[in-house]
């Protein structure tokens, strides 16, 4: 098995239309607690998966922030996607003042939990290639750099301990977002070390 770092891809695109060369078999949705759709990536996934997703989700009874639920991909199956993992990220409530160590804020813990829950579900359901959007960094306003550190830190840690998923794709919606992920990944020794050192 490749090293965790070699099992990560940072790509730019729409998570509902992943190019076949990415090999995506499961996608993550940044949903809200109702699981009944919304704007942003959630709206795009519901449109692409079709009305059966909404009908299905009406039976799920919602999902608390920081947790995740898995569904079929419905109309997205034609694109090789078999599962959608719906997770509810935290709304950023800490304003601009964030000198606090990553991991110490309530929002950090909830966002980390979203990644953990999705990775656990992916392993449980044998999802080979899982694509994540940048959960909470749109409508929910989580600072992008901080969110990328939490995402990459958790995914790298998980991949070091598990063979499934074989690969994780960070599907960025803009080149600027992908640049943030690449920078965070390249500087990981700095921030991962300072996180451990506390
Ligand atoms: N593919 C990949 N990434 C996307 C796509 C797409 N098609 N569309 C948007 N993004 P957001 P949140 C990026 O707002 O902050 C919804 O209304 C976007 O640029 O979709 O977790 C839900 O129902 C950003 O980087 O999710 C909730 O109410 C990232 O996806 C609320 O928004 C997340 O932005 C959730 O807010």
């Amino acid at each position: 098995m490749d090293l965790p770092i070699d099992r990560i891809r940072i790509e730019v695109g729409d998570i509902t239309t992943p190019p076949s060369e990415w090999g995506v078999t499961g996608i993550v949705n940044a949903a809200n607690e109702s699981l009944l759709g919304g704007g942003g990536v959630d709206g795009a996934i519901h449109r692409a998966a079709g009305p059966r997703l909404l009908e299905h989700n009406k039976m799920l009874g919602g999902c608390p922030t920081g947790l995740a639920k898995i569904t079929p991909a419905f109309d997205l199956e034609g694109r090789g996607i078999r599962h959608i993992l719906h997770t509810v990220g935290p709304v950023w409530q800490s304003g601009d003042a964030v000198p606090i160590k990553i991991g110490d804020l309530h929002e950090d813990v909830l966002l980390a939990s979203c990644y953990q829950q999705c990775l656990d579900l992916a392993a449980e359901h044998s999802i080979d290639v899982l694509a994540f959007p940048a959960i909470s960094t749109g409508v929910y306003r989580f600072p992008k750099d901080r969110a990328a550190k939490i995402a990459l830190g958790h995914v790298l840690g998980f991949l070091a301990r598990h063979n499934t998923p074989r690969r994780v794709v960070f599907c960025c919606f803009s080149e600027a977002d992908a640049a943030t992920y690449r920078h965070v990944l390249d500087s990981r020794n700095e921030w991962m070390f300072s996180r451990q050192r506390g």
Side-chain angles (χ1 to χ4, degrees):
M1 185 59 73
D2 289 335
L3 291 171
I5 186 87
D6 296 325
R7 292 161 62 197
I8 282 179
R9 299 277 184 279
I10 297 167
E11 305 282 3
V12 180
D14 179 337
I15 205 164
T16 65
T17 56
S20 56
E21 62 264 27
W22 296 4
V24 171
T25 56
I27 62 172
V28 174
N29 181 18
N32 59 58
E33 289 192 342
S34 78
L35 296 187
L36 302 181
V41 71
D42 193 11
I45 288 175
H46 272 265
R47 279 192 298 279
R52 285 181 296 162
L53 177 60
L54 179 59
E55 288 311 309
H56 181 93
N57 282 9
K58 281 179 184 167
M59 298 183 301
L60 297 181
C63 179
T65 301
L67 300 188
K69 291 191 177 178
I70 190 165
T71 70
F74 298 105
D75 295 354
L76 279 167
E77 280 174 13
R79 296 175 194 169
I81 299 166
R82 295 185 48 213
H83 300 284
I84 304 172
L85 283 61
H86 305 264
T87 191
V88 185
V91 176
W92 180 258
Q93 287 170 334
S94 294
D96 294 334
V98 285
I100 293 176
K101 203 165 45 118
I102 291 175
D104 281 0
L105 289 173
H106 187 49
E107 291 97 317
D108 297 339
V109 175
L110 289 171
L111 186 62
S113 170
C114 290
Y115 282 93
Q116 187 65 45
Q117 289 256 322
C118 290
L119 290 162
D120 284 341
L121 279 173
E124 200 180 309
H125 292 266
S126 303
I127 294 175
D128 186 43
V129 181
L130 180 66
F132 278 102
I135 302 163
S136 281
T137 66
V139 174
Y140 285 176
R141 305 183 311 276
F142 204 108
K144 292 188 177 199
D145 178 88
R146 192 174 184 95
K149 286 175 179 157
I150 291 168
L152 283 160
H154 274 266
V155 169
L156 283 170
F158 189 90
L159 295 182
R161 291 176 277 111
H162 298 85
N163 290 338
T164 306
R166 182 174 53 86
R167 191 186 305 153
V168 168
V169 177
F170 290 100
C171 179
C172 301
F173 208 40
S174 69
E175 197 45 66
D177 288 353
T180 300
Y181 271 86
R182 283 189 208 107
H183 175 73
V184 164
L185 192 60
D186 290 346
S187 61
R188 65 189 176 284
N189 288 340
E190 219 171 280
W191 57 267
M192 278 186 172
F193 179 59
S194 67
R195 196 172 62 155
Q196 281 162 12
R197 198 176 40 190

